[in-house]
Amino acid sequence: EPEVTQTPSHQVTQMGQEVILRCVPISNHLYFYWYRQILGQKVEFLVSFYNNEISEKSEIFDDQFSVERPDGSNFTLKIRSTKLEDSAMYFCASSVHFGSGTRLTVV
Amino acid sequence: KQEVTQIPAALSVPEGENLVLNCSFTDSAIYNLQWFRQDPGKGLTSLLLIQSSQREQTSGRLNASLDKSSGRSTLYIAASQPGDSATYLCAVRGLYSGAGSYQLTFGKGTKLSVIP
């Protein structure tokens, strides 16, 4: 069974700091996604990535967020200046396959 | 804009019972529908994926049905076990948006408790 790997599993950061969440998607897939889930709320779409560029993004995905695939394998989500409300579980998806998530806690 | 609703929000059943979880969506123009399981504080485990052309999918004690025209899906769990206790999420994938994405829209989930 192919796997999507996310690191770290849990990250604690201070408000205002930059964080990078990492994902290794399945190698022959074309569409990659980031979703987030604030505690007790729905899973929400953030951004989709196809052919090395953003194909669609939600209203949540504002200027503090960015994604890239720097080396053709890793797929990263960067949050430039974290806020308390960015605390959530962040999921990477490769086509229909989801990673186990990164729990981000902003203090 | 697609909206996904799951009823009930929570369900408690005795071990051994068969049960049905419901999911409805507002826009029937979907590519596929996926059911997930989520344990507390954990990630998403994909259970079943039904393509828009299919009526149902089965995996072990799980059976998911899809009625695209009426905007409904059900997840049937046979002979429930305490280990089935989790939150079950329904998500629909829209048709190609033109912007190049097949993003998922999730429901809030049904929290299932199976009592031994």
Side-chain angles (χ1 to χ4, degrees):
Chain A
E1 171 94 13
E3 247 186 35
V4 178
T5 305
Q6 288 188 246
T7 55
S9 56
H10 191 185
Q11 177 147 4
V12 181
T13 189
Q14 288 205 320
M15 193 168 56
Q17 294 292 108
E18 174 183 286
V19 293
I20 297 177
L21 310 183
R22 300 179 195 280
C23 171
V24 179
I26 297 165
S27 58
N28 60 344
H29 284 184
L30 299 176
Y31 283 95
F32 312 120
Y33 305 84
W34 283 101
Y35 294 83
R36 80 169 184 192
Q37 185 181 35
I38 295 170
L39 186 65
Q41 297 188 23
K42 283 187 184 186
V43 177
E44 303 171 288
F45 167 73
L46 289 178
V47 65
S48 59
F49 195 80
Y50 171 74
N51 202 25
N52 288 323
E53 58 184 28
I54 290 174
S55 55
E56 195 164 5
K57 56 185 180 179
S58 72
E59 294 168 353
I60 304 167
F61 194 88
D62 61 22
D63 291 344
Q64 69 161 340
F65 291 94
S66 62
V67 288
E68 60 178 12
R69 201 170 183 213
D71 56 10
S73 58
N74 291 295
F75 178 47
T76 62
L77 174 69
K78 183 191 291 185
I79 310 175
R80 260 180 269 286
S81 177
T82 50
K83 306 172 197 164
L84 294 176
E85 55 264 37
D86 294 327
S87 295
M89 184 79 104
Y90 289 81
F91 294 107
C92 171
S94 178
S95 184
V96 302
H97 301 274
F98 274 70
S100 54
T102 293
R103 178 168 299 286
L104 176 65
T105 303
V106 183
V107 297
Chain B
K1 183 186 169 186
Q2 181 73 270
E3 298 283 345
V4 179
T5 303
Q6 292 188 246
I7 294 172
L11 180 64
S12 184
V13 299
E15 182 177 0
E17 232 178 63
N18 303 325
L19 58 102
V20 174
L21 308 181
N22 296 293
C23 171
S24 62
F25 45 95
T26 54
D27 185 350
S28 61
I30 65 168
Y31 188 70
N32 55 40
L33 182 146
Q34 206 165 353
W35 282 93
F36 294 88
R37 169 186 173 137
Q38 186 174 34
D39 292 291
K42 301 292 185 184
L44 304 174
T45 301
S46 181
L47 298 173
L48 290 163
L49 185 147
I50 312 177
Q51 300 296 346
S52 62
S53 57
Q54 296 176 315
R55 297 286 295 191
E56 63 181 285
Q57 279 285 347
T58 298
S59 175
R61 294 182 294 109
L62 306 179
N63 176 278
S65 69
L66 173 64
D67 184 343
K68 199 176 71 157
S69 59
S70 68
R72 293 176 191 275
S73 176
T74 61
L75 179 67
Y76 174 83
I77 303 177
S80 58
Q81 303 170 357
D84 294 332
S85 298
T87 296
Y88 290 81
L89 303 178
C90 169
V92 297
R93 183 170 277 104
L95 292 175
Y96 187 75
S97 69
S101 172
Y102 296 93
Q103 69 196 62
L104 282 169
T105 302
F106 283 80
K108 282 189 175 179
T110 294
K111 185 174 181 181
L112 174 66
S113 300
V114 181
I115 313 301

